[in-house]
Amino acid sequence: MLLPRRYDTALMRPPDAHDAVDASVVVTLRAWCEGRALPAPPAPLQAASIGPCVGLDAAACVLDGSHELARRGRWRGMLWRLQIVWREQLAGRPAGHADPWDCGWWREGPLGPARAFRPRRATLLMLRQPAPAATEELLATLREQSPAYVRPLRVLVVSVEPVAGLLRL
């Protein structure tokens, strides 16, 4: 049996779990990530932008299961994680509404990690106020790789100004 792949720390760093959860931000992110906010079926890669908002890290922690894991405690949390891995790896079942996403902030830098990236599960990659050229380069690299994605990747650009060509949440 193959070991499950690990969270990709070369491309992203985990969100900060210490912010207060804003339910409206969670609803907005979940709806967009899961494709319920758009009329077309979800594509392997979708990108949008959002203005800076308090609680974005906490909303990502709700999506990635960090809060649920902490709530369950050590042993029940470990069992929960094993059940998720079993469903993803052995049963081959696609992610459902309650299943966690991988969420994280982009580690800006060379594009090698973006070229090598393959989502192990549905993934939300957030970019914190990147330079427009860096955003374009990263998105172009991810789009080039996206036909190989088995799980969806959502890229959320956090910026004061809307990003040309991207849906604004």
Side-chain angles (χ1 to χ4, degrees):
M1 177 174 121
L2 294 175
L3 293 175
R5 290 184 299 154
R6 300 182 66 80
Y7 181 89
D8 191 333
T9 57
L11 181 67
M12 56 191 176
R13 64 173 177 75
D16 183 1
H18 300 297
D19 291 344
V21 176
D22 180 336
S24 67
V25 176
V26 174
V27 168
T28 298
L29 282 183
R30 188 176 298 279
W32 174 67
C33 285
E34 293 177 355
R36 294 190 311 265
L38 302 172
L45 171 67
Q46 291 181 356
S49 72
I50 191 170
C53 59
V54 174
L56 193 54
D57 275 275
C61 287
V62 170
L63 287 177
D64 76 10
S66 296
H67 291 303
E68 181 64 20
L69 189 60
R71 184 189 70 76
R72 288 176 180 260
R74 183 177 180 176
W75 297 111
R76 288 180 55 224
M78 187 180 295
L79 177 61
W80 182 64
R81 290 176 71 180
L82 287 172
Q83 289 170 338
I84 292 166
V85 169
W86 181 83
R87 285 193 309 262
E88 290 173 350
Q89 303 295 320
L90 300 178
R93 187 178 67 81
H97 175 69
D99 289 341
W101 284 57
D102 277 346
C103 298
W105 291 99
W106 178 43
R107 292 184 184 274
E108 195 165 350
L111 295 175
R115 282 186 202 93
F117 179 71
R118 298 296 181 268
R120 69 175 181 157
R121 64 173 53 118
T123 301
L124 172 63
L125 175 62
M126 301 178 291
L127 287 66
R128 192 182 319 264
Q129 309 235 8
T135 301
E136 290 174 21
E137 287 179 41
L138 177 65
L139 288 174
T141 301
L142 294 171
R143 283 185 184 113
E144 183 180 291
Q145 301 303 315
S146 68
Y149 296 168
V150 177
R151 305 276 191 256
L153 172 62
R154 302 297 177 253
V155 179
L156 185 63
V157 180
V158 180
S159 64
V160 173
E161 296 295 322
V163 177
L166 297 185
L167 171 72
R168 184 74 169 181
L169 301 181

